[in-house]
């Protein structure tokens, strides 16, 4: 009985670990923050698509010039579409 329970717990632990591996942290974090900020999911997806390279660069710890300006421009473009 205990061995069966241990195998199940190990399987659940493995599934949880594997689920985290496929997570795109940059996109998920941006989308959560954007939607919490009051924008619709479709607008957030549009903005992310336009500034994704900058966000990934910043996430990698690299200096990103004018990210704020790029985000404002992307938002304006996405709101027009």
């Amino acid at each position: 009985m205990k061995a069966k329970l241990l195998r199940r717990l190990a399987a659940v632990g493995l599934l949880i670990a594997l689920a985290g591996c496929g997570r795109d942290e940059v996109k998920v974090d941006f989308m959560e923050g954007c939607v919490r900020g009051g924008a619709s999911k479709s607008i957030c997806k549009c903005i992310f698509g336009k500034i994704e390279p900058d966000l990934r660069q910043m996430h990698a710890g690299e200096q990103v010039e004018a990210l704020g300006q790029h985000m404002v421009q992307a938002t304006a473009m996405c709101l027009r579409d």
Side-chain angles (χ1 to χ4, degrees):
M1 182 74 154
K2 284 186 179 184
K4 197 175 200 180
L5 178 61
L6 287 175
R7 281 195 304 264
R8 285 186 184 176
L9 288 175
V12 168
L14 179 62
L15 288 174
I16 290 170
L18 288 175
C21 290
R23 183 174 189 252
D24 184 348
E25 270 187 61
V26 175
K27 185 174 185 177
V28 170
D29 290 347
F30 175 81
M31 292 297 292
E32 286 175 356
C34 183
V35 171
R36 259 190 261 129
S40 70
K41 260 188 179 176
S42 62
I43 294 294
C44 292
K45 283 182 185 178
C46 178
I47 295 168
F48 181 80
K50 294 185 182 316
I51 64 169
E52 181 178 3
D54 290 339
L55 290 175
R56 294 201 181 279
Q57 200 176 347
M58 186 179 78
H59 187 75
E62 298 174 26
Q63 185 71 23
V64 178
E65 296 295 320
L67 176 61
Q69 183 181 358
H70 291 162
M71 192 175 296
V72 169
Q73 290 170 343
T75 302
M77 289 170 45
C78 290
L79 289 174
R80 269 187 274 154
D81 293 340

